[in-house]
Amino acid sequence: MTDQTTLIPNPVAQAADRTNTRKVFIKTYGCQMNVYDSVRMGDALASEGYVTTDRAEDADLVLLNTCHIREKAADKVYSALGRLRDMKKERNAEGRELMVGVTGCVAQAEGEEILRRSSAVDVVIGPQTYHRLPQALKRARQGERVVDTDYAVEDKFEHLPVPDKKVIRSRGVTSFLTVQEGCDKFCTFCVVPYTRGSEVSRPLAQILDEAKQLADAGVREITLLGQNVNAWHGTGPDGSTWGLGDLLYRLAEIPGLARLRYTTSHPRDMDDRLIEAHRDLRALMPYLHLPVQAGSDRVLKAMNRRHTAEEYIRLIERIRAARPDIALSGDFIVGFPGETDAEFEDTLKLVETVRYAQSFSFKYSTRPGTPGAELGSQVAEEVKAERLERLQALLLKQQHEFAESCVGKVIDILLEKPGRMPEQLIGRSPWLQSVNVDAKSSQIGDIISVRIVGTGPNSLFAERIER
Ligand code: SAH
Ligand code: SF4
Ligand code: F3S
């Protein structure tokens, strides 16, 4: 997952204009899977009469869908809860209700502790139990403070309502679809195996049904999600075991679905079939997020990544041989316990060799309960900061070089949403860049050919061409 601890705007916000219905505001932190979960929580609540709002002040229920990946991410939750406590007091003084729920990975990791630390919280619900949110809210309304963080005893997806076509389409022409959750890799720095539980794949039929519903509603691009999405496996129609590659071949047959992506992958699970899918499938976009974390073999071993730098580079070569125009994106951690200057230089060397189009890099953050937290030789904050700055300068340079290399190219873009100017739309390139182009809003959902004519800080500029 590309995790950004920044706030992602509420993806399920729709006009909440009925005054007699309850309104929910969902604030999403963390990775794409949380974005997907927020949408599905909105669905679960919609069937109880809630409408979503993008204004916390209007809400009768505020949900914080939280991330636990780094210390800062978790701290943000407690400061938001402080503000909500004050808001709740004001509301109660006016005789109005305000309920507060904590969901997601902090909920799973901290459970009861959240109730102890914040009097504002009514319900705490983990990532595997949010289909039971409506019941939890009913209990909370009767005065109980509810914690429901069981690992999956039942499959939440079997219990979540499917919204109608109009609602799906109102969310846009691209969609996430979770196919796999949890992680058994236990990298020594990472909380995910503890917050999301062990690796579980959704069954093939369930995924195909959801993909067809999305396509029928007008969704043109689906991004398959999983903490280890390429560890997905299922049973094919002939009883054989299918991997993510097989799933992609099958999804590419769904009428209307023009583009497929997946994230996040682990290098150990990039199998031949998946690489073949990149070679064969026009619908599979030439973009791959393949985190490596570090370039030193000693550090990789201490992180329990279970591959060497050389193996990663060879893998990239094989992927590039299959799909020469593929763009790569990566995640990096600087200052893992014991990382020396020379070991950090190995990360820079690996980045020079691979050349990334996009990247996410972080200072190592000690997470209680992970093996990394037990290691001595923590790296000083200033050293981490200095390394991060050097790494990010290099990665940013590569990102700009990649964007510049697109200028002059003729490419297809998927028109996604209105641009800043009237008569302008923002489209998406095969390599996940935003592209500004003149087009009418009725064309949203179309895939058109454009020539890239320039680059901006975070986007490209294009002119239409007829093909
Ligand atoms: N499953 C994905 C990553 C999920 S977490 C994978 O295996 O690559 C997203 C990213 O957050 C990680 O790739 C890592 O770069 C970063 N991250 C995770 N734990 C961290 C920690 N304790 N400190 C700093 N960054 C961390
Ligand atoms: Fe975390 Fe490693 Fe699992 Fe990714 S593979 S979620 S980094 S434990
Ligand atoms: Fe954060 Fe949980 Fe995603 S810890 S990165 S929200 S899986």
Side-chain angles (χ1 to χ4, degrees):
M1 306 266 95
T2 47
D3 146 71
Q4 295 108 355
T5 48
T6 48
L7 170 63
I8 296 165
N10 179 0
V12 287
Q14 296 149 20
D17 51 10
R18 282 175 287 165
T19 44
N20 56 347
T21 48
R22 289 202 171 99
K23 292 173 191 156
V24 56
F25 172 75
I26 308 178
K27 190 166 170 171
T28 307
Y29 303 84
C31 64
Q32 293 99 326
M33 196 167 287
N34 263 11
V35 175
Y36 175 85
D37 288 342
S38 290
V39 173
R40 300 301 305 257
M41 279 191 260
D43 292 343
L45 292 168
S47 62
E48 298 293 308
Y50 277 93
V51 291
T52 51
T53 171
D54 50 13
R55 286 163 50 91
E57 313 83 80
D58 294 344
D60 308 285
L61 167 65
V62 172
L63 293 179
L64 303 182
N65 194 15
T66 61
C67 175
H68 203 241
I69 200 83
R70 282 170 292 275
E71 197 176 0
K72 263 197 204 150
D75 287 349
K76 278 187 191 168
V77 175
Y78 285 105
S79 43
L81 285 174
R83 292 192 296 274
L84 284 169
R85 189 194 49 212
D86 298 341
M87 195 164 138
K88 196 167 182 170
K89 270 193 204 137
E90 284 165 28
R91 281 287 184 89
N92 291 350
E94 295 164 12
R96 282 171 63 205
E97 176 187 278
L98 176 65
M99 296 190 87
V100 175
V102 178
T103 62
C105 292
V106 177
Q108 189 65 45
E110 308 223 321
E112 298 267 347
E113 177 65 17
I114 299 174
L115 297 186
R116 274 193 289 277
R117 279 183 66 176
S118 172
S119 59
V121 178
D122 302 290
V123 297
V124 176
I125 309 272
Q128 304 308 344
T129 43
Y130 63 75
H131 57 294
R132 299 205 288 246
L133 199 50
Q135 292 97 299
L137 291 170
K138 271 180 206 144
R139 283 161 60 196
R141 210 161 272 123
Q142 286 156 7
E144 202 184 327
R145 298 182 85 197
V146 183
V147 177
D148 187 353
T149 52
D150 287 347
Y151 280 135
V153 263
E154 55 198 11
D155 177 358
K156 65 176 177 252
F157 296 110
E158 297 282 359
H159 297 267
L160 288 166
V162 179
D164 69 37
K165 276 190 192 179
K166 258 204 202 138
V167 173
I168 295 177
R169 182 60 186 79
S170 71
R171 292 172 183 162
V173 292
T174 64
S175 181
F176 291 138
L177 198 178
T178 293
V179 299
Q180 180 281 335
E181 273 198 78
C183 182
D184 294 337
K185 297 274 191 300
F186 291 94
C187 302
T188 53
F189 51 81
C190 184
V191 291
V192 170
Y194 313 98
T195 64
R196 289 276 171 171
S198 55
E199 236 166 67
V200 179
S201 294
R202 286 179 72 184
L204 176 65
Q206 217 187 54
I207 295 167
L208 293 179
D209 281 351
E210 192 167 328
K212 281 178 200 151
Q213 280 151 11
L214 292 168
D216 281 351
V219 168
R220 306 297 317 276
E221 173 179 303
I222 289 182
T223 302
L224 306 179
L225 298 182
Q227 269 90 24
N228 262 293
V229 72
N230 56 349
W232 180 87
H233 57 276
T235 309
D238 60 352
S240 64
T241 299
W242 274 23
L244 187 69
D246 303 295
L247 176 62
L248 287 162
Y249 279 93
R250 179 66 191 82
L251 288 169
E253 291 169 9
I254 295 178
L257 262 191
R259 292 181 157 196
L260 297 167
R261 303 177 185 276
Y262 60 93
T263 197
T264 293
S265 300
H266 193 287
R268 297 260 310 180
D269 292 322
M270 281 308 297
D271 62 18
D272 291 344
R273 184 75 171 148
L274 187 50
I275 297 175
E276 280 163 24
H278 277 286
R279 181 195 62 199
D280 295 342
L281 298 177
R282 236 176 75 85
L284 182 56
M285 291 294 101
Y287 183 92
L288 177 63
H289 183 62
L290 197 62
V292 65
Q293 316 298 355
S296 138
D297 289 343
R298 194 205 60 83
V299 174
L300 285 168
K301 188 148 196 265
M303 287 177 161
N304 193 32
R305 293 294 290 182
R306 294 186 290 154
H307 62 76
T308 62
E310 189 60 25
E311 282 161 349
Y312 179 83
I313 290 165
R314 293 283 95 83
L315 174 62
I316 301 286
E317 283 169 358
R318 280 170 53 217
I319 297 165
R320 281 191 167 134
R323 185 76 209 231
D325 65 341
I326 202 158
L328 287 159
S329 142
D331 288 348
F332 303 88
I333 295 177
V334 299
F336 184 78
E339 185 187 67
T340 64
D341 284 337
E343 287 166 344
F344 169 66
E345 296 288 337
D346 289 339
T347 300
L348 298 177
K349 264 184 235 150
L350 180 139
V351 171
E352 294 277 13
T353 307
V354 174
R355 287 171 290 115
Y356 289 91
Q358 180 61 262
S359 60
F360 303 87
S361 45
F362 314 97
K363 287 190 270 185
Y364 170 73
S365 167
T366 310
R367 306 311 289 129
T370 61
E374 308 298 314
L375 297 172
S377 62
Q378 300 283 330
V379 175
E381 239 0 82
E382 316 83 74
V383 176
K384 285 188 213 171
E386 191 247 335
R387 286 180 190 168
L388 187 66
E389 205 175 305
R390 283 184 64 197
L391 175 63
Q392 288 187 337
L394 174 61
L395 289 164
L396 194 64
K397 183 172 138 267
Q398 294 191 344
Q399 189 181 324
H400 289 154
E401 282 166 1
F402 179 73
E404 286 300 332
S405 76
C406 295
V407 175
K409 276 190 187 151
V410 172
I411 62 169
D412 284 347
I413 62 170
L414 168 61
L415 296 173
E416 280 187 14
K417 56 186 176 196
R420 268 198 227 132
M421 315 292 245
E423 303 285 301
Q424 215 184 48
L425 295 182
I426 297 176
R428 191 70 68 175
S429 82
W431 308 290
L432 217 51
Q433 299 138 301
S434 292
V435 182
N436 302 287
V437 67
D438 291 342
K440 295 196 179 62
S441 59
S442 59
Q443 291 177 285
I444 289 177
D446 290 355
I447 292 173
I448 62 164
S449 289
V450 298
R451 176 175 285 109
I452 304 299
V453 292
T455 64
N458 289 306
S459 62
L460 301 175
F461 298 95
E463 59 189 26
R464 301 194 55 165
I465 56 159
E466 299 306 327
R467 257 197 182 164

Coordinates of all heavy atoms in Angstrom, one line a residue, residues 31-62:
C31 N -3.7 4.1 4.2 CA -3.5 3.5 2.8 C -4.8 3.4 2.0 O -5.9 3.6 2.6 CB -2.8 2.2 2.9 SG -3.8 0.9 3.7
Q32 N -4.7 3.0 0.8 CA -5.9 2.8 -0.1 C -6.9 1.9 0.5 O -8.1 2.0 0.2 CB -5.4 2.3 -1.5 CG -4.6 3.3 -2.3 CD -3.1 3.0 -2.2 OE1 -2.7 2.5 -1.1 NE2 -2.4 3.2 -3.2
M33 N -6.4 0.9 1.2 CA -7.4 -0.1 1.8 C -8.3 0.6 2.8 O -9.5 0.2 2.8 CB -6.7 -1.3 2.4 CG -7.7 -2.4 2.6 SD -6.9 -3.9 3.0 CE -6.2 -4.3 1.4
N34 N -7.8 1.6 3.5 CA -8.7 2.3 4.4 C -9.7 3.2 3.6 O -10.8 3.3 4.0 CB -7.9 3.2 5.3 CG -7.6 2.6 6.7 OD1 -7.9 1.4 6.9 ND2 -7.1 3.3 7.6
V35 N -9.2 3.7 2.4 CA -10.1 4.4 1.6 C -11.3 3.5 1.1 O -12.5 3.9 1.2 CB -9.4 5.0 0.3 CG1 -10.3 5.7 -0.6 CG2 -8.3 6.0 0.8
Y36 N -10.9 2.3 0.7 CA -11.9 1.4 0.3 C -12.9 1.0 1.4 O -14.1 1.0 1.3 CB -11.2 0.1 -0.2 CG -12.2 -1.0 -0.6 CD1 -12.8 -1.1 -1.9 CD2 -12.5 -2.0 0.3 CE1 -13.6 -2.1 -2.2 CE2 -13.4 -3.1 0.0 CZ -13.9 -3.1 -1.3 OH -14.8 -4.1 -1.6
D37 N -12.3 0.8 2.6 CA -13.1 0.4 3.8 C -14.1 1.5 4.2 O -15.2 1.3 4.6 CB -12.2 0.1 5.0 CG -11.5 -1.3 4.8 OD1 -11.9 -2.1 4.0 OD2 -10.5 -1.5 5.5
S38 N -13.6 2.8 4.0 CA -14.5 3.9 4.4 C -15.7 3.9 3.4 O -16.8 4.2 3.9 CB -13.7 5.3 4.2 OG -12.8 5.4 5.2
V39 N -15.5 3.6 2.2 CA -16.6 3.5 1.2 C -17.6 2.5 1.7 O -18.8 2.7 1.8 CB -16.1 3.3 -0.2 CG1 -17.3 3.0 -1.1 CG2 -15.3 4.4 -0.7
R40 N -17.0 1.3 2.0 CA -17.9 0.2 2.4 C -18.6 0.4 3.8 O -19.7 0.0 4.0 CB -17.1 -1.2 2.5 CG -16.5 -1.6 1.1 CD -17.4 -1.8 0.0 NE -18.5 -2.7 0.1 CZ -18.6 -3.9 -0.4 NH1 -17.6 -4.4 -1.1 NH2 -19.7 -4.6 -0.2
M41 N -17.9 1.2 4.7 CA -18.6 1.5 5.9 C -19.8 2.5 5.6 O -20.8 2.3 6.2 CB -17.6 2.2 6.9 CG -16.8 1.2 7.6 SD -15.8 2.0 8.9 CE -14.3 2.2 8.2
G42 N -19.5 3.4 4.7 CA -20.6 4.3 4.3 C -21.8 3.5 3.8 O -22.9 3.8 4.1
D43 N -21.5 2.4 3.0 CA -22.6 1.6 2.4 C -23.3 0.9 3.6 O -24.6 0.9 3.6 CB -22.0 0.5 1.6 CG -21.4 1.0 0.3 OD1 -21.7 2.1 -0.1 OD2 -20.6 0.3 -0.4
A44 N -22.6 0.4 4.6 CA -23.2 -0.3 5.7 C -24.1 0.6 6.4 O -25.2 0.3 6.9 CB -22.2 -0.9 6.6
L45 N -23.7 1.9 6.6 CA -24.5 2.9 7.3 C -25.7 3.4 6.5 O -26.7 3.7 7.0 CB -23.6 4.0 7.8 CG -22.6 3.6 8.9 CD1 -21.6 4.7 9.1 CD2 -23.3 3.2 10.2
A46 N -25.5 3.4 5.2 CA -26.5 3.9 4.3 C -27.8 3.0 4.4 O -28.9 3.5 4.4 CB -26.1 3.9 2.8
S47 N -27.5 1.7 4.6 CA -28.7 0.8 4.7 C -29.4 1.0 6.1 O -30.5 0.5 6.3 CB -28.3 -0.6 4.5 OG -27.3 -1.0 5.5
E48 N -28.8 1.8 7.0 CA -29.4 2.2 8.3 C -30.0 3.6 8.2 O -30.3 4.2 9.2 CB -28.4 2.1 9.4 CG -27.8 0.7 9.6 CD -28.9 -0.3 10.1 OE1 -29.5 0.1 11.1 OE2 -29.0 -1.4 9.5
G49 N -30.0 4.2 7.0 CA -30.6 5.5 6.9 C -29.6 6.7 7.0 O -30.0 7.8 6.9
Y50 N -28.3 6.3 7.2 CA -27.3 7.4 7.3 C -27.0 8.0 5.9 O -26.8 7.2 4.9 CB -26.0 6.9 7.9 CG -26.0 6.9 9.4 CD1 -26.4 5.7 10.1 CD2 -25.6 8.0 10.1 CE1 -26.3 5.7 11.4 CE2 -25.5 8.0 11.5 CZ -25.9 6.8 12.2 OH -25.8 6.8 13.5
V51 N -26.8 9.2 5.7 CA -26.2 9.8 4.5 C -24.8 10.3 4.9 O -24.6 10.7 6.1 CB -27.0 10.9 3.9 CG1 -28.3 10.3 3.3 CG2 -27.3 12.0 4.8
T52 N -23.9 10.3 4.0 CA -22.5 10.8 4.3 C -22.5 12.3 4.1 O -23.1 12.9 3.2 CB -21.5 10.1 3.5 OG1 -21.8 10.2 2.1 CG2 -21.3 8.7 3.9
T53 N -21.6 13.0 4.8 CA -21.4 14.4 4.7 C -19.9 14.7 4.7 O -19.2 13.9 5.3 CB -22.1 15.2 5.8 OG1 -21.7 16.6 5.7 CG2 -21.7 14.7 7.2
D54 N -19.5 15.7 4.0 CA -18.1 16.0 4.1 C -17.8 17.2 5.0 O -16.7 17.8 5.0 CB -17.4 16.3 2.7 CG -18.2 17.3 1.9 OD1 -19.1 17.9 2.5 OD2 -18.0 17.3 0.7
R55 N -18.8 17.5 5.9 CA -18.6 18.5 6.9 C -18.8 17.9 8.3 O -19.9 17.5 8.6 CB -19.6 19.7 6.7 CG -19.3 20.6 5.5 CD -20.5 21.4 5.2 NE -21.1 22.0 6.3 CZ -20.7 23.3 6.8 NH1 -19.9 24.0 6.1 NH2 -21.3 23.8 7.8
A56 N -17.7 17.9 9.1 CA -17.8 17.3 10.4 C -18.9 18.0 11.3 O -19.6 17.4 12.1 CB -16.5 17.3 11.1
E57 N -19.0 19.3 11.0 CA -19.9 20.1 11.9 C -21.4 19.7 11.7 O -22.2 19.8 12.6 CB -19.9 21.6 11.5 CG -18.5 22.2 11.4 CD -17.8 22.0 10.0 OE1 -18.2 22.7 9.1 OE2 -17.0 21.0 9.9
D58 N -21.7 19.1 10.5 CA -23.1 18.7 10.2 C -23.4 17.3 10.7 O -24.5 16.8 10.7 CB -23.3 18.6 8.7 CG -23.3 20.0 8.1 OD1 -23.3 21.0 8.8 OD2 -23.1 20.1 6.8
A59 N -22.3 16.6 11.1 CA -22.5 15.1 11.4 C -23.1 14.8 12.7 O -22.9 15.5 13.7 CB -21.1 14.4 11.2
D60 N -23.9 13.7 12.7 CA -24.4 13.1 14.0 C -23.5 12.0 14.4 O -23.5 11.5 15.5 CB -25.8 12.5 13.7 CG -26.7 13.5 13.1 OD1 -27.2 14.4 13.8 OD2 -27.0 13.4 11.9
L61 N -22.7 11.5 13.5 CA -21.7 10.4 13.8 C -20.4 10.8 13.0 O -20.4 11.1 11.8 CB -22.2 9.1 13.2 CG -21.3 7.9 13.1 CD1 -20.8 7.5 14.5 CD2 -21.9 6.7 12.4
V62 N -19.3 10.8 13.8 CA -18.0 11.0 13.2 C -17.2 9.7 13.3 O -17.1 9.2 14.5 CB -17.2 12.2 13.9 CG1 -15.8 12.2 13.3 CG2 -17.9 13.5 13.6

